[in-house]
Amino acid sequence: MPQLIAMVIVVVGAMIYMFQTFGGTGDKIEGIAQKTSIITEINNIKDGVKIAAKSGQIAATAKDDKVNNLKGLASLSYFAEQINAQLTDTTNNAANANIYNAISFGGGVITGADNNSDMQISLVTPAVSGTVKRTPGIFVDFSKGGLKTNAAFLESQIANDLSAVAFIDRTSTTATAKAGVINDAGSAIEKRTPAIGKTKQDANGNTVADDPTSAELGDGKFIIYFKDFGSDEVVQ
C-alpha cells in the first residue's frame, strides 16, 4: 500500500507539472515536437546565407552578381535542392521571392499573392550603417498558418533555445532590420549586428531601452542574427 500511494503521488505530481508547464493543453506538448523541425528549417537557411555572405554575394540592393533575397540565393544554388527548387519555380508568385515556405510544415510553391503557409522564412539584408557593413538576419513568421495557435509558445521556446548563439529581435514584424547596431562600443559582433528591440525617451530626454509588449513577444514573428557570422560574412 505505501508503494501504491507513493506511485500515485508521483503520477499526480507529474500531471501538475505538465499542466503548469504546458498550460494543460495538448497544443503545447505538440509544440515541443514542432520546435525541433523549426530549428532545423532555420539552420537550413542559415547555412546557405552564411556561405553566401562569406562569398560577398548578399547585398542590401541587388546588383551584378550580388542578390538581396532568398530567390536570388537559390538561383545560385546556396540551399538544398528542394529549397532551391521551391524558390526558383517559375510559377511562384513574385510576392514570395524572399519567402521560403518550410517544407517540414507542408510548405511549397505559392502561385497567388496571399501566402498563409505555416512557417515562412525570409532573408534580412541591412544596409551599411555609416561605414559599418552589418550581419544578415533571418526573419521567421509562423503567425498565418497552422502554427499560429502555438505562435506565442513556439516563439518563446525558439528564442530561449537560440539565446546563446544568436541575437533575437522579437519586436520585429517584417524582414526589415532596424537602424544602427546593438552596441557601437561593444564586442566585434555587437558592432556589426543591427539594433534589436525598441527604445523610448526617458524623463530626461535620453534614449533608453523599452520593454516589448506581450503582443510583440507572442505574435510568432522575429528576426534572428546569429553570433557566429564573422566580420567577412556581412551584407555588402
Side-chain angles (χ1 to χ4, degrees):
M1 183 63 72
Q3 290 88 346
L4 178 60
I5 293 174
M7 184 178 296
V8 170
I9 291 173
V10 170
V11 171
V12 171
M15 291 175 67
I16 292 173
Y17 172 78
M18 291 288 284
F19 184 86
Q20 291 175 333
T21 304
F22 305 123
T25 69
D27 288 342
K28 300 301 184 294
I29 297 173
E30 180 185 11
I32 290 180
Q34 293 167 336
K35 182 178 70 171
T36 300
S37 295
I38 289 172
I39 291 178
T40 297
E41 290 284 12
I42 290 171
N43 282 328
N44 286 340
I45 296 301
K46 175 208 171 183
D47 291 344
V49 170
K50 198 172 192 296
I51 296 171
K54 192 173 185 67
S55 300
Q57 290 198 290
I58 299 178
T61 302
K63 183 179 180 181
D64 300 327
D65 65 339
K66 294 177 174 56
V67 300
N68 66 344
N69 59 30
L70 292 181
K71 179 180 179 180
L73 293 181
S75 68
L76 296 170
S77 301
Y78 275 108
F79 305 117
E81 184 177 351
Q82 281 185 298
I83 298 175
N84 289 332
Q86 180 194 125
L87 288 164
T88 58
D89 191 296
T90 56
T91 65
N92 200 30
N93 191 280
N96 301 309
N98 193 35
I99 298 175
Y100 161 57
N101 304 308
I103 296 170
S104 297
F105 297 96
V109 173
I110 303 295
T111 58
D114 293 331
N115 187 343
N116 294 312
S117 299
D118 288 3
M119 179 183 181
Q120 302 176 28
I121 301 177
S122 301
L123 175 65
V124 180
T125 56
V128 174
S129 179
T131 60
V132 178
K133 293 181 179 180
R134 297 186 290 169
T135 302
I138 296 172
F139 175 67
V140 179
D141 182 358
F142 32 74
S143 68
K144 299 181 177 70
L147 295 180
K148 64 182 178 182
T149 302
N150 280 341
F153 174 78
L154 290 171
E155 178 176 342
S156 175
Q157 289 288 303
I158 299 302
N160 182 66
D161 283 12
L162 297 182
S163 61
V165 298
F167 298 108
I168 301 177
D169 188 356
R170 297 179 65 182
T171 64
S172 288
T173 57
T174 65
T176 303
K178 291 185 171 69
V181 295
I182 289 179
N183 185 352
D184 56 15
S187 64
I189 185 62
E190 289 176 331
K191 290 179 180 178
R192 60 176 178 269
T193 300
I196 62 175
K198 59 183 184 179
T199 59
K200 64 180 180 180
Q201 299 295 309
D202 66 12
N204 298 316
N206 299 313
T207 300
V208 296
D210 191 11
D211 294 328
T213 65
S214 57
E216 289 170 331
L217 293 176
D219 61 3
K221 302 176 184 179
F222 50 94
I223 295 177
I224 304 168
Y225 297 104
F226 283 98
K227 297 177 182 179
D228 63 348
F229 275 61
S231 59
D232 59 345
E233 296 169 334
V234 292
V235 177
Q236 303 301 310

